[in-house]
């Protein structure tokens, strides 16, 4: 893809978790719990986008209670964790929200995200995404995953819409 991004039609954001909202690192505790670190600036941007009327969803292959609680604390209403087929969840989300793919900005970082990336209106990824993803995204943030790449995308879209 790598064509000029079209930010004008975006009404919803969908994000992957590991490698996008986090840097992809896992801290494995003796209890077996796997802990991730989220960027507070990404959290602010997500809440701000929701307050400005954008729909925000999360689609992730992993399912962790701590991740779910963090996303709930940001007022995210559409949280899909433990997803094996992101394409199916993406299509169901579009129908549920009465949206078309061109209205979606999706940020993913690795091969499981490619199906949705190739369908959405604005395909985005963090600077440190996998090569296969970097090659097909409309927008590549200069910021790595878990370090503010989500905020970067939200901020640029909302500024284009005069809502930042």
């Amino acid at each position: 893809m790598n064509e000029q991004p079209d930010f004008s039609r975006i009404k919803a954001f969908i994000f992957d978790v590991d490698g996008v909202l986090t840097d992809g690192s896992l801290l494995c505790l003796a209890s077996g719990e796997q802990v991730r670190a989220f960027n507070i600036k990404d959290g602010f941007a997500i809440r701000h986008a929701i307050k400005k009327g954008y729909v925000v969803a999360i689609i992730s292959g992993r399912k962790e209670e701590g991740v779910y609680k963090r996303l709930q604390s940001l007022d995210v209403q559409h949280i899909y964790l433990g997803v094996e087929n992101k394409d199916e969840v993406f299509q169901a989300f579009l129908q549920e929200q009465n949206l078309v793919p061109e209205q979606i900005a999706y940020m993913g970082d690795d091969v499981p995200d490619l199906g949705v990336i190739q369908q959405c209106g604005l395909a985005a990824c963090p600077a440190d995404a996998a090569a296969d993803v970097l090659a097909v995204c409309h927008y590549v943030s200069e910021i790595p995953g878990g370090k503010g790449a989500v905020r970067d995308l939200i901020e640029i879209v909302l500024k284009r819409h005069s809502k930042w």
Side-chain angles (χ1 to χ4, degrees), residues 1-2 108-112 114 117-118 125-137 140:
M1 288 183 203
N2 287 328
D109 73 307
D110 213 340
V111 172
L114 284 173
I117 283 172
Q118 293 170 338
C125 67
D128 58 345
D132 290 341
V133 173
L134 289 165
V136 297
C137 280
V140 178

Coordinates of all heavy atoms in Angstrom, one line a residue, residues 1-2 108-112 114 117-118 125-137 140:
M1 N 0.8 -1.2 0.0 CA 0.0 0.0 0.0 C 0.9 1.2 0.0 O 1.1 1.8 -1.0 CB -0.9 0.0 1.2 CG -2.1 -1.0 1.1 SD -3.1 -0.8 2.5 CE -3.9 -2.4 2.6
N2 N 1.3 1.7 1.2 CA 2.2 2.8 1.4 C 1.8 4.0 0.5 O 2.7 4.8 0.0 CB 3.7 2.5 1.2 CG 4.2 1.7 2.3 OD1 3.7 1.9 3.5 ND2 5.1 0.7 2.1
G108 N -1.9 -2.4 13.7 CA -1.3 -3.7 14.1 C 0.1 -3.7 13.8 O 0.7 -2.8 13.2
D109 N 0.8 -4.8 14.2 CA 2.2 -4.8 14.1 C 2.8 -6.1 13.6 O 4.0 -6.2 13.4 CB 2.9 -4.6 15.5 CG 2.7 -5.8 16.4 OD1 1.6 -6.2 16.6 OD2 3.7 -6.2 17.0
D110 N 2.0 -7.1 13.4 CA 2.6 -8.4 13.0 C 1.6 -9.2 12.1 O 0.5 -8.8 11.8 CB 2.9 -9.3 14.2 CG 4.2 -10.1 14.0 OD1 4.5 -10.4 12.9 OD2 4.7 -10.6 15.0
V111 N 2.1 -10.3 11.6 CA 1.4 -11.1 10.6 C -0.1 -11.4 10.9 O -0.9 -11.3 10.0 CB 2.2 -12.4 10.3 CG1 1.4 -13.4 9.4 CG2 3.6 -12.1 9.7
P112 N -0.5 -11.7 12.2 CA -1.9 -11.9 12.4 C -2.8 -10.7 12.1 O -4.0 -10.8 12.0 CB -1.9 -12.3 13.9 CG -0.6 -12.8 14.2 CD 0.4 -12.0 13.4
L114 N -2.4 -8.7 9.4 CA -2.4 -8.4 7.9 C -3.8 -8.5 7.3 O -4.1 -7.7 6.4 CB -1.4 -9.3 7.2 CG 0.0 -9.0 7.4 CD1 0.9 -10.0 6.7 CD2 0.3 -7.6 6.8
I117 N -5.6 -5.3 8.2 CA -4.8 -4.2 7.6 C -5.1 -4.0 6.2 O -5.3 -2.9 5.7 CB -3.3 -4.4 7.8 CG1 -2.9 -4.1 9.3 CG2 -2.4 -3.6 6.8 CD1 -1.5 -4.4 9.7
Q118 N -5.3 -5.1 5.5 CA -5.6 -5.1 4.0 C -7.0 -4.7 3.7 O -7.3 -4.5 2.5 CB -5.1 -6.4 3.4 CG -3.6 -6.5 3.4 CD -3.1 -7.9 3.0 OE1 -3.8 -8.9 3.0 NE2 -1.9 -7.9 2.6
C125 N 0.8 1.2 11.5 CA 1.6 0.4 12.4 C 2.6 1.2 13.1 O 3.0 2.3 12.7 CB 2.2 -0.7 11.5 SG 3.5 -0.2 10.4
P126 N 3.2 0.7 14.2 CA 4.3 1.3 14.9 C 5.6 1.2 14.1 O 5.7 0.4 13.2 CB 4.4 0.6 16.2 CG 3.2 -0.4 16.3 CD 2.7 -0.5 14.9
A127 N 6.5 2.0 14.4 CA 7.8 2.0 13.7 C 8.5 0.7 13.7 O 9.2 0.3 12.8 CB 8.7 3.1 14.3
D128 N 8.3 -0.1 14.8 CA 9.0 -1.4 14.9 C 8.1 -2.6 14.5 O 8.4 -3.7 15.0 CB 9.5 -1.5 16.3 CG 8.5 -1.5 17.4 OD1 7.3 -1.0 17.1 OD2 8.7 -1.8 18.6
A129 N 7.1 -2.4 13.7 CA 6.3 -3.5 13.2 C 7.1 -4.5 12.4 O 8.2 -4.1 11.9 CB 5.1 -2.9 12.4
A130 N 6.6 -5.6 12.2 CA 7.2 -6.6 11.3 C 7.3 -6.1 9.9 O 6.5 -5.3 9.5 CB 6.4 -7.9 11.4
A131 N 8.3 -6.6 9.2 CA 8.6 -6.1 7.8 C 7.4 -6.3 6.9 O 7.0 -5.4 6.1 CB 9.8 -6.8 7.2
D132 N 6.7 -7.4 7.0 CA 5.5 -7.7 6.2 C 4.4 -6.6 6.4 O 3.7 -6.2 5.5 CB 4.9 -9.0 6.5 CG 5.8 -10.2 6.0 OD1 6.6 -9.9 5.2 OD2 5.6 -11.3 6.5
V133 N 4.3 -6.1 7.7 CA 3.3 -5.1 8.0 C 3.7 -3.7 7.5 O 3.0 -3.0 6.9 CB 3.0 -5.1 9.5 CG1 2.1 -4.0 9.9 CG2 2.4 -6.5 9.9
L134 N 5.0 -3.4 7.8 CA 5.6 -2.1 7.3 C 5.4 -1.9 5.8 O 5.1 -0.8 5.4 CB 7.0 -2.0 7.7 CG 7.4 -1.9 9.2 CD1 8.9 -2.2 9.4 CD2 7.0 -0.5 9.7
A135 N 5.5 -3.0 5.1 CA 5.4 -2.9 3.6 C 4.0 -2.6 3.1 O 3.9 -2.1 2.0 CB 5.9 -4.3 3.0
V136 N 3.0 -2.8 3.9 CA 1.6 -2.6 3.4 C 0.8 -1.5 4.1 O -0.3 -1.2 3.7 CB 0.8 -3.9 3.4 CG1 1.5 -4.9 2.5 CG2 0.6 -4.5 4.8
C137 N 1.4 -0.8 5.1 CA 0.6 0.2 5.8 C 0.6 1.5 5.1 O 1.5 1.9 4.4 CB 1.1 0.3 7.2 SG 0.5 -1.0 8.3
V140 N 2.9 4.7 8.8 CA 3.9 4.1 9.7 C 4.3 5.2 10.7 O 4.9 6.2 10.3 CB 5.1 3.6 9.0 CG1 6.1 3.0 10.0 CG2 4.7 2.5 8.0

